[in-house]
Amino acid sequence: MIYSKEVMRHFKSPKNLGEIKKPDGVGTVGNPRCGDVMKLYIQVEVRDNLGKKEEYVKDIKFQTLGCGAAIACSSMTTELVKGKSLTEALKISNKKITAALGELPPAKYHCSILSEEAIKEAIKDYLNKKNAKN
Amino acid sequence: MKKIYLDYAATTPLDPEVIKAINLGMKKYFGNPSSIHSFGQEARKVLENSRKIVASYLNSESDEVIFTSGGSESDNLATSGLIEALPKSNYLPHIITSEFEHHAVLDTVHELVKNGQAEATFIKPTTNGLITPESIKTAIKKNTALVSIIYVNNEIGTVQPIREIGKLIEAENKNRPKDQRIYFHTDAVQAVEFFKLDVHYLHVDLLTFTAHKIYGPKGTGVLFVKRGTPIKRQIIGGAQEYRKRAGTENVIGALGLSRALERIIEDKADKRPGRQNKSFPELSETKEARRLQTLRDYLIDEILKKVPRSRLNGDRFRRSPANANISFENAEGESILLNLDLLGIAASSGSACTSGSLLPSHVLLSIGLPPEIAHGSIRFTIGRQTTATDIDYLIEVLPKIVSKVRKMSPFNEN
């Protein structure tokens, strides 16, 4: 097998697979022509953090058309992001995703980059919608 | 878990008879065939006997058989070796090849063009993966020196009309001065077991094949070089292989290759007469070819029936008995392969994810598949150990795998 145990664990039983019916933000990255498309859905909740209001990723789901690494990266990203504040979520880098998966073959680094882009896109989409409302 | 190998076009397991021959050979024939003592001469005898077997398989002369390290080296030698050996002239030699050659030919031709050693025309196959003799004919120019066309495509298994192309080149050569003739090479790596390899029947000057696709060892191949065909050796050193390929001969490899051919000859001897298909005369109607053809047709029919939005790549009729290449819309190839592997089934894919680049297979693109479809293509290639039970198991699990992969996709319609 070309992948680490952790990658295969996520590939076999991906976490947070599916869609959120009424998401607060959606990020779609990649292109079917290149073989990989990732779509992340987030639901955001505002919590009171010691008197300061902060936004958290309450729920996250993904749908991915792509290779084993693309699916594992998507799944791992949802795990890393779920329950985090948006500020923390924005700090999740492709390196962090790769490290959490143990390792990725070099040809698959772009999958972790796609995942990082997907979560950033989803948060951006949420913020855009929020700003449009205000 | 039972393991099912459906990747015979990648490589084949060694035939038990080949293993026996190699084992014996490794113990007995370690001498250098160039040595004059008995150790060397015994090894020489084994090597030359292997060459004779290859020559008889190709219906060629022994001195037209050059042993190499494999298909890629033979392809490189046929293309670069021919172009570099042409007599100096005022014009740049022109090469005609196809868009769906193996990289060992395609990249060599690109290299020759890049280095200013040749110009080239890349013929686009038809959408069912065939090269027509007419398309070759129209591409011929005054400075055409080499035509190189793959016999059986390694990815989609389609069979090219090598004999017709060979004959038309021969006819064209009749009207040319000798120093301007066109040479014809075919990469026959995937053709050896099931298709006619008689070089006179095919009208070829150069022909490539390798041992490890026919149940022989890796690391040994053949280039047939017709007498009088100019070839500049690419590996330089001693005078081995009629000065066309230096290096101490791989005696054990040659022995294994020739033993593998003998096993095929035994199967061919077993053919029932009168079954020759007139519209597909290149196909050797052996018992094994017929058995695989039946399995292949069953595999194709069932998968196309059971998996919605699937399609067969390559001509249904003019294809190798061993090959089925199928695309699944909205499902990425590597994901399908990994799921198959988890169930013990080995196949291969034309997706970019398996090649290390973002581009899917050049073969699938050349027959007009959109990249997003090419990414979802799986090649199943069957062989001697494949049984109907194996195919039944594949047919049982594959529809579930494709539907599972599709459910994960953002383009899922459910």
Side-chain angles (χ1 to χ4, degrees):
Chain A
M1 188 59 73
I2 61 166
Y3 291 124
S4 70
K5 255 190 179 159
E6 191 60 12
V7 172
M8 285 313 288
R9 199 173 68 83
H10 279 271
F11 176 75
K12 279 196 253 178
S13 14
K15 304 286 180 309
N16 305 306
L17 175 68
E19 59 184 310
I20 296 175
K21 283 283 174 254
K22 283 183 183 160
D24 297 319
V26 177
T28 308
V29 294
N31 184 329
R33 296 177 69 81
C34 305
D36 292 306
V37 182
M38 282 180 199
K39 192 169 183 183
L40 284 185
Y41 303 81
I42 54 168
Q43 196 179 10
V44 178
E45 180 184 58
V46 182
R47 285 187 213 154
D48 196 72
N49 189 1
L50 304 168
K52 208 178 105 198
K53 286 212 177 340
E54 212 170 348
E55 291 153 308
Y56 285 85
V57 179
K58 189 188 171 204
D59 197 11
I60 178 164
K61 290 241 190 285
F62 84 89
Q63 287 176 316
T64 292
L65 164 68
C67 63
I71 288 161
C73 284
S74 313
S75 168
M76 180 51 90
T77 304
T78 62
E79 281 216 308
L80 290 173
V81 167
K82 200 167 179 174
K84 296 264 161 58
S85 71
L86 293 193
T87 327
E88 286 172 305
L90 282 169
K91 280 187 202 149
I92 286 165
S93 66
N94 76 301
K95 282 201 182 108
K96 215 173 202 169
I97 299 163
T98 311
L101 285 169
E103 60 181 312
L104 276 181
K108 303 289 184 178
Y109 288 162
H110 72 274
C111 295
S112 63
I113 297 170
L114 270 185
S115 295
E116 181 192 326
E117 286 170 4
I119 183 63
K120 294 204 159 112
E121 279 296 315
I123 293 173
K124 200 171 107 190
D125 181 52
Y126 162 72
L127 295 174
N128 284 345
K129 279 181 191 155
K130 189 177 88 173
N131 290 339
K133 267 189 230 160
N134 295 341
Chain B
M1 181 172 59
K2 199 195 167 200
K3 290 218 169 192
I4 299 174
Y5 186 76
L6 300 177
D7 204 8
Y8 283 80
T11 194
T12 51
L14 285 167
D15 181 301
E17 289 295 318
V18 172
I19 296 178
K20 248 194 241 167
I22 288 177
N23 272 335
L24 187 74
M26 283 197 291
K27 284 180 202 142
K28 279 177 80 177
Y29 310 115
F30 75 91
N32 186 326
S34 299
S35 303
I36 57 158
H37 46 63
S38 61
F39 296 89
Q41 288 312 298
E42 270 178 34
R44 164 68 57 195
K45 221 189 272 170
V46 171
L47 180 70
E48 293 315 320
N49 186 51
S50 301
R51 200 188 305 279
K52 229 181 256 169
I53 293 166
V54 175
S56 101
Y57 197 83
L58 300 176
N59 189 22
S60 74
E61 302 298 328
S62 278
D63 60 13
E64 295 175 318
V65 173
I66 308 302
F67 285 115
T68 68
S69 67
S72 293
E73 190 195 325
S74 294
D75 279 342
N76 290 185
L77 181 58
T79 34
S80 287
L82 182 104
I83 294 299
E84 289 171 10
L86 291 174
K88 290 270 166 283
S89 82
N90 293 331
Y91 13 0
L92 209 54
H94 173 237
I95 303 170
I96 299 171
T97 187
S98 78
E99 281 184 10
F100 72 170
E101 291 302 301
H102 190 275
H103 281 294
V105 167
L106 201 57
D107 291 11
T108 309
V109 173
H110 281 303
E111 194 90 3
L112 288 166
V113 172
K114 205 179 93 193
N115 293 342
Q117 290 171 278
E119 56 167 342
T121 302
F122 299 91
I123 305 282
K124 198 174 183 58
T126 62
T127 50
N128 51 348
L130 298 172
I131 302 285
T132 62
E134 296 72 46
S135 64
I136 302 287
K137 198 171 181 180
T138 33
I140 292 176
K141 304 202 289 185
K142 212 179 152 196
N143 57 336
T144 302
L146 173 67
V147 176
S148 184
I149 298 294
I150 190 164
Y151 196 161
V152 175
N153 187 277
N154 54 314
E155 287 188 37
I156 55 173
T158 50
V159 182
Q160 308 314 320
I162 297 303
R163 177 178 158 87
E164 281 64 45
I165 298 169
K167 277 164 115 178
L168 89 83
I169 292 170
E170 216 166 71
E172 173 72 21
N173 278 334
K174 287 207 174 102
N175 307 320
R176 291 182 168 223
K178 210 172 172 270
D179 61 343
Q180 278 175 37
R181 63 161 295 190
I182 304 168
Y183 296 93
F184 183 31
H185 169 243
T186 186
D187 175 335
V189 164
Q190 301 286 350
V192 181
E193 197 177 356
F194 307 117
F195 295 92
K196 288 202 179 129
L197 233 62
D198 179 326
V199 292
H200 295 285
Y201 174 82
L202 293 174
H203 299 263
V204 292
D205 303 295
L206 298 150
L207 180 144
T208 288
F209 75 92
T210 187
H212 78 102
K213 311 282 192 189
I214 51 166
Y215 309 88
K218 286 156 192 73
T220 302
V222 161
L223 180 65
F224 157 76
V225 182
K226 193 178 177 174
R227 282 182 187 169
T229 305
I231 280 289
K232 182 180 170 292
R233 60 186 185 170
Q234 303 291 301
I235 292 180
I236 299 163
Q240 292 93 345
E241 300 298 309
Y242 309 98
R243 294 190 169 274
K244 292 183 177 77
R245 203 275 186 183
T248 298
E249 298 90 338
N250 180 355
V251 177
I252 304 302
L255 175 64
L257 182 145
S258 63
R259 192 72 192 103
L261 277 184
E262 283 180 327
R263 299 284 286 161
I264 296 171
I265 296 166
E266 286 162 27
D267 182 42
K268 285 193 172 170
D270 206 10
K271 87 173 179 191
R272 282 172 247 159
R275 285 285 304 261
Q276 196 61 52
N277 192 328
K278 279 211 179 91
S279 51
F280 199 4
E282 303 96 319
L283 182 66
S284 306
E285 293 278 345
T286 64
K287 235 160 86 178
E288 178 67 355
R290 277 198 297 273
R291 187 183 77 87
L292 292 185
Q293 215 164 9
T294 310
L295 284 181
R296 177 203 68 187
D297 289 341
Y298 176 56
L299 187 163
I300 294 172
D301 289 339
E302 289 298 307
I303 289 181
L304 294 186
K305 198 166 76 192
K306 294 207 163 110
V307 184
R309 289 174 291 149
S310 58
R311 56 159 281 177
L312 177 72
N313 297 314
D315 196 80
R316 178 75 205 239
F317 178 65
R318 281 191 67 88
R319 73 184 302 127
S320 161
N323 177 297
N325 187 311
I326 299 172
S327 292
F328 305 98
E329 218 178 280
N330 192 25
E332 198 278 329
E334 194 208 82
S335 269
I336 299 175
L337 284 189
L338 288 174
N339 278 299
L340 284 170
D341 192 42
L342 290 171
L343 297 174
I345 301 173
S348 84
S349 162
S351 94
C353 281
T354 53
S355 72
S357 79
L358 285 181
L359 283 177
S361 140
H362 72 288
V363 172
L364 297 174
L365 295 182
S366 79
I367 60 167
L369 243 64
E372 59 271 29
I373 305 290
H375 285 296
S377 305
I378 305 290
R379 177 186 73 180
F380 301 100
T381 43
I382 56 180
R384 280 186 205 161
Q385 281 160 27
T386 313
T387 63
T389 322
D390 295 342
I391 305 300
D392 278 331
Y393 182 54
L394 173 75
I395 291 163
E396 184 200 322
V397 301
L398 185 67
K400 293 178 202 159
I401 288 175
V402 174
S403 123
K404 176 182 157 192
V405 170
R406 281 176 176 165
K407 275 197 187 119
M408 297 172 88
S409 159
F411 306 108
N412 174 27
E413 279 158 17
N414 302 327

